[in-house]
Amino acid sequence: MKFLDEAKIYLKAGDGGDGCLSFRREKFIEFGGPDGGAGGNGGSIYALAVKDVNTLIDYRYQQHFKAKKGGNGSGQNKTGRSAEDIILKLPVGTQILDEDKFTEIADLTEEGQKVLLVQGGKGGLGNSYFKTSTNQAPRKAQKGEIGEERWIWLKLKLIADIGLVGLPNAGKSSFISNVTNVKAKIEDYPFSTLTPQLGMIKFDDKEIVIADIPGLIEGAHLGKGLGDKFLAHVERCSVILHIIDISLENPFKNYMMIRNELERYNNTLYRKSEIVVLNKSDLVNENTMSKVKSEFDKLDKKLFIISAITNCGCKDVINYASTFINKPLDTW
């Protein structure tokens, strides 16, 4: 299944059915009164958060959703049938924005959350509803109301506890493959991860979800590489694991470059609690490792040295990261 995390769709709720203008025509009844029934309500359109969907790909191929009109009223005070509602099944974590792509309509953060997007029009009243003591034969019936319509944006932000960031080929895929149930694509070339991936690990009787996004490069905020389009998927995380390849020439410079990209993207993401993970310790000697560690020690951040490919130190990282999960921002 292809991954799609953004889509623009058009919604049109159904119009209400028209009320009926009718009079009783019965044998032996000299003065038949009004008996026009009301129209049925038009169908509304709702969004529903479901757990078994993890992409918006369906909304690339169908972008227009129109609910049906309510049935018209009829004689003998018969009300028209109300039209069925349309339910849009969306992944948990979908943000629904107005056409301006800024105003938030809803944020579907929990399974089963249901939100009304456009309201169907009410059915019009038939002439029997307008009968009064002074107007025994009203010749008036209402048209059904027009259903609402709008364009909206769907933007998916994955729900995860821990987010992985770093340069391409830093070892994020190896890390998530070792500590979770996901089998990520691992290659010896950059950008082997092209779409965000979610992995789950059971830890101390609770489930921890980890999100791995494609690697960032300098200038990502300008669209270079895969750009920063996937950073939204780590915005909801409680803590970021910043994975650095210590076998490269200047690990600390690479670290600061990624931090700069995070700051340019979103200050809230930049301020999130961060754990620095120096990866690929199996590829360097003690001298190099000591020199790199001394540079990172001045950051005053928790630092781990691991080898994701051999699984050395990975469990300690998860153990520490789990203490940040579900902590409010002001305690970080």
Side-chain angles (χ1 to χ4, degrees):
M1 179 185 295
K2 291 184 178 180
F3 184 86
L4 185 72
D5 61 356
E6 191 172 274
K8 185 180 183 182
I9 60 174
Y10 170 77
L11 308 176
K12 173 66 173 75
D15 298 339
D18 298 335
C20 177
L21 177 61
S22 172
F23 292 91
R24 292 169 63 188
R25 294 289 184 268
E26 299 178 41
K27 195 175 182 179
F28 307 122
I29 297 180
E30 186 176 358
F31 301 104
D35 69 346
N41 296 328
S44 299
I45 302 180
Y46 292 85
L48 176 67
V50 296
K51 209 168 187 178
D52 56 350
V53 177
N54 56 14
T55 176
L56 298 174
I57 190 66
D58 289 344
Y59 299 95
R60 167 174 288 179
Y61 302 114
Q62 183 180 356
Q63 297 175 322
H64 292 76
F65 296 86
K66 297 181 180 180
K68 292 184 178 180
K69 177 183 176 180
N72 295 332
S74 57
Q76 300 181 341
N77 290 310
K78 291 181 180 178
T79 301
R81 183 188 296 272
S82 291
E84 290 187 5
D85 297 329
I86 292 177
I87 308 294
L88 304 181
K89 294 182 179 180
L90 301 173
V92 175
T94 301
Q95 192 177 29
I96 304 173
L97 306 174
D98 207 350
E99 187 177 6
D100 60 10
K101 213 175 180 180
F102 177 78
T103 306
E104 183 179 289
I105 298 170
D107 195 2
L108 306 180
T109 57
E110 297 180 3
E111 183 182 8
Q113 191 175 344
K114 188 176 181 181
V115 177
L116 175 65
L117 299 177
V118 285
Q119 176 74 58
K122 290 184 178 180
L125 299 177
N127 67 332
S128 64
Y129 291 83
F130 297 99
K131 180 181 177 181
T132 65
S133 58
T134 57
N135 186 4
Q136 295 289 317
R139 295 185 172 275
K140 174 184 178 183
Q142 289 180 335
K143 292 282 188 182
E145 293 181 358
I146 302 298
E148 295 177 341
E149 61 180 318
R150 71 194 315 177
W151 283 92
I152 63 170
W153 282 93
L154 305 176
K155 188 174 182 180
L156 177 58
K157 295 182 179 181
L158 299 178
I159 303 293
D161 302 303
I162 299 171
L164 307 182
V165 300
L167 283 170
N169 217 28
K172 302 189 304 300
S173 295
S174 297
F175 181 84
I176 197 173
S177 294
N178 273 329
V179 300
T180 73
N181 60 345
V182 72
K183 295 304 175 188
K185 183 179 181 181
I186 302 171
E187 302 288 352
D188 59 357
Y189 55 83
F191 295 116
S192 57
T193 300
L194 298 177
T195 60
Q197 299 185 79
L198 284 181
M200 188 270 291
I201 182 173
K202 287 193 174 182
F203 188 84
D204 286 347
D205 298 324
K206 62 181 177 182
E207 294 182 349
I208 296 176
V209 179
I210 302 178
D212 175 24
I213 65 168
L216 299 172
I217 63 172
E218 188 170 10
H221 67 283
L222 299 175
K224 292 184 179 179
L226 293 179
D228 58 11
K229 61 175 293 188
F230 294 120
L231 280 176
H233 297 293
V234 293
E235 282 187 43
R236 300 184 192 270
C237 297
S238 299
V239 62
I240 290 174
L241 298 188
H242 192 151
I243 297 182
I244 306 293
D245 181 352
I246 59 173
S247 69
L248 297 180
E249 185 175 349
N250 197 329
F252 189 75
K253 181 181 178 181
N254 292 335
Y255 167 81
M256 294 305 297
M257 182 271 291
I258 296 295
R259 290 296 296 170
N260 181 56
E261 292 299 329
L262 295 180
E263 185 175 23
R264 287 172 178 268
Y265 172 77
N266 184 308
N267 190 53
T268 301
L269 183 58
Y270 177 75
R271 291 176 55 239
K272 277 191 181 292
S273 188
E274 180 191 59
I275 301 169
V276 180
V277 181
L278 302 182
N279 188 29
K280 302 190 181 181
S281 61
D282 55 302
L283 299 181
V284 298
N285 57 37
E286 289 291 334
N287 256 352
T288 302
M289 191 179 300
S290 178
K291 182 181 177 181
V292 172
K293 184 177 181 302
S294 65
E295 286 187 289
F296 281 91
D297 281 341
K298 61 188 177 186
L299 291 174
D300 194 29
K301 291 189 177 185
K302 187 65 177 179
L303 183 68
F304 286 89
I305 300 176
I306 71 165
S307 172
I309 201 70
T310 65
N311 208 15
C312 177
C314 294
K315 185 176 180 181
D316 294 333
V317 175
I318 296 299
N319 184 27
Y320 182 75
S322 68
T323 64
F324 289 84
I325 295 173
N326 297 327
K327 283 190 177 182
L329 184 62
D330 56 8
T331 67
W332 290 349

